Amino acid sequence: EGPFQILTGAFYQKEKRTFRSAILSAGTDGNIEADPFAFLDREVDTDVEEIAFFGEASVDITDRLTATGGLRYYDFDISEVSNAITAFGGGPGAGIGAVQSSSDNGFIFKGNISYALTSDINAYVQVAEGFRSGGTNDQTAAAIANVTIPAGFSPDSLINYEVGLKSQWADGRVTTNVAAYMIDWSDIQIQDQATDGQLTFPFRGNGGGAKVTGIEIEISAQPVEGLSLDATANFANARLTEDNPIPSTGLDGDDIPYVPSTTLSFSAQYEWALANGLMADIGGDFSYISSRNTELRPNNPLFVELKSYSLLNLRAGISGDSWRAGLVVNNVTNNDEVVDIFRII
């Protein structure tokens, strides 16, 4: 109940993954045969282990001003073993390969200062750091493609600078949150390509730096009893701020793949009472995603500009104390715009 608060904790993860890919013979109907011939068969076993300790403390400097600081220590290890059972074309594979490993440890931090302008309006400034673990690249798959790739890729990290307002209006019936942010992204993890002159093989690598700036807006309202309205919007500009180590894979100013400049969402639901204690509801939601690219450079054979698209979903239902019957119609406008493309070159 005092002005000082503290939170501490620990996190542990142990994960085992098995990935298997095969090219099997099929019949004239396109289905895999009962006793198929394998043109390629390989397995990858991955072990991930991570432990982290974190702590956060906040102090009320005044009855309106609060300062918060946090620190997290992380330590992770990743190991991967590949088994080439059948080589490309159907011959014997190279068997179990060498163990590939990746590990990292370090600290990330967060700092926040918030000030209550009124009892219903809170302003804040925040700086927070994040990271994404590195990993290994499958050498057996590269050997099948007859290319040489790096053994692994390094972690990438970012620092997010944010300023915003959180507020409530009309006796709490309207909530409005607005935030402006700038993210500095270092050693960005990217998909790279190696080639033997004929076949192109993708692998994971590290590029240069990037910056993401944007504004987020959230509005929730309950204007009358039973009616809930929600809207969110995000406007972002995400670009490289320096050339990649291999300039042909990314140059200063290139748009970050899969980051739309605009995302919007709206939802509404109305609920009212019927006879005999029953409740009825009707609602829907609408979302919009602007265009984005699949790769950094237009000269990349995997580069595709994905067009913008929107989705409209509607729903209605009747419910009792312990049951609900409803009707849901997803994608009312039957929008079939492509949202991703996977190509093998």
Side-chain angles (χ1 to χ4, degrees):
E1 297 180 356
F4 183 74
Q5 305 291 328
I6 188 169
L7 169 71
T8 60
F11 170 85
Y12 178 74
Q13 174 189 5
K14 187 173 180 64
E15 179 181 353
K16 290 182 177 292
R17 296 195 299 260
T18 297
F19 170 82
R20 186 172 184 178
S21 61
I23 300 176
L24 305 176
S25 59
T28 56
D29 59 359
N31 294 318
I32 296 176
E33 296 173 333
D35 186 19
F37 176 81
F39 295 94
L40 172 70
D41 193 359
R42 49 184 288 271
E43 270 188 357
V44 181
D45 292 315
T46 303
D47 289 339
V48 180
E49 188 170 14
E50 180 182 358
I51 188 169
F53 302 95
F54 56 88
E56 182 176 293
S58 63
V59 57
D60 296 330
I61 300 173
T62 70
D63 59 349
R64 293 193 176 192
L65 182 64
T66 301
T68 302
L71 200 64
R72 181 184 182 97
Y73 172 78
Y74 63 89
D75 188 315
F76 71 85
D77 293 282
I78 299 174
S79 63
E80 185 175 279
V81 177
S82 302
N83 182 11
I85 302 168
T86 303
F88 188 76
I96 299 176
V99 176
Q100 304 290 322
S101 61
S102 175
S103 63
D104 191 36
N105 60 74
F107 290 91
I108 56 176
F109 68 89
K110 181 183 81 170
N112 180 293
I113 295 178
S114 62
Y115 184 76
L117 299 173
T118 70
S119 59
D120 295 319
I121 304 176
N122 190 59
Y124 70 92
V125 177
Q126 178 168 286
V127 180
E129 190 177 30
F131 83 102
R132 178 170 48 175
S133 61
T136 60
N137 286 314
D138 184 5
Q139 299 299 308
T140 58
I144 292 173
N146 194 33
V147 296
T148 300
I149 63 175
F153 53 95
S154 302
D156 55 359
S157 61
L158 58 82
I159 301 179
N160 177 52
Y161 305 90
E162 185 175 332
V163 57
L165 283 173
K166 296 179 180 292
S167 61
Q168 287 190 330
W169 309 86
D171 297 325
R173 295 195 305 272
V174 179
T175 299
T176 303
N177 300 323
V178 180
Y181 59 88
M182 182 182 72
I183 301 172
D184 280 329
W185 194 354
S186 302
D187 300 320
I188 177 173
Q189 292 178 12
I190 60 172
Q191 181 174 288
D192 214 334
Q193 283 87 35
T195 180
D196 64 351
Q198 294 180 329
L199 181 68
T200 299
F201 182 81
F203 66 92
R204 184 68 66 179
N206 291 91
K211 180 176 289 186
V212 184
T213 56
I215 297 176
E216 287 184 337
I217 304 171
E218 299 176 345
I219 302 175
S220 298
Q222 294 81 42
V224 297
E225 184 178 355
L227 178 62
S228 298
L229 304 173
D230 294 280
T232 65
N234 183 69
F235 307 98
N237 182 11
R239 299 176 182 271
L240 290 184
T241 54
E242 58 183 272
D243 295 348
N244 281 341
I246 303 176
S248 61
T249 65
L251 297 177
D252 183 3
D254 286 346
D255 292 331
I256 302 298
Y258 293 104
V259 180
S261 61
T262 303
T263 58
L264 305 172
S265 69
F266 305 93
S267 67
Q269 178 155 316
Y270 182 63
E271 187 177 47
W272 69 98
L274 300 175
N276 301 318
L278 299 179
M279 297 294 295
D281 64 83
I282 186 171
D285 57 80
F286 172 84
S287 60
Y288 169 81
I289 307 293
S290 65
S291 62
R292 56 254 176 260
N293 302 326
T294 60
E295 296 291 338
L296 288 166
R297 293 263 77 206
N299 60 358
N300 189 318
L302 302 177
F303 180 96
V304 176
E305 182 182 352
L306 302 172
K307 296 180 180 179
S308 62
Y309 70 94
S310 59
L311 290 176
L312 174 63
N313 307 315
L314 299 177
R315 58 187 178 273
I318 299 176
S319 58
D321 291 337
S322 58
W323 60 271
R324 183 181 187 278
L327 174 66
V328 177
V329 182
N330 289 328
N331 194 12
V332 175
T333 61
N334 196 31
N335 190 325
D336 61 355
E337 190 63 58
V338 174
V339 297
D340 199 2
I341 292 178
F342 178 75
R343 288 180 172 177
I344 299 177
I345 304 300

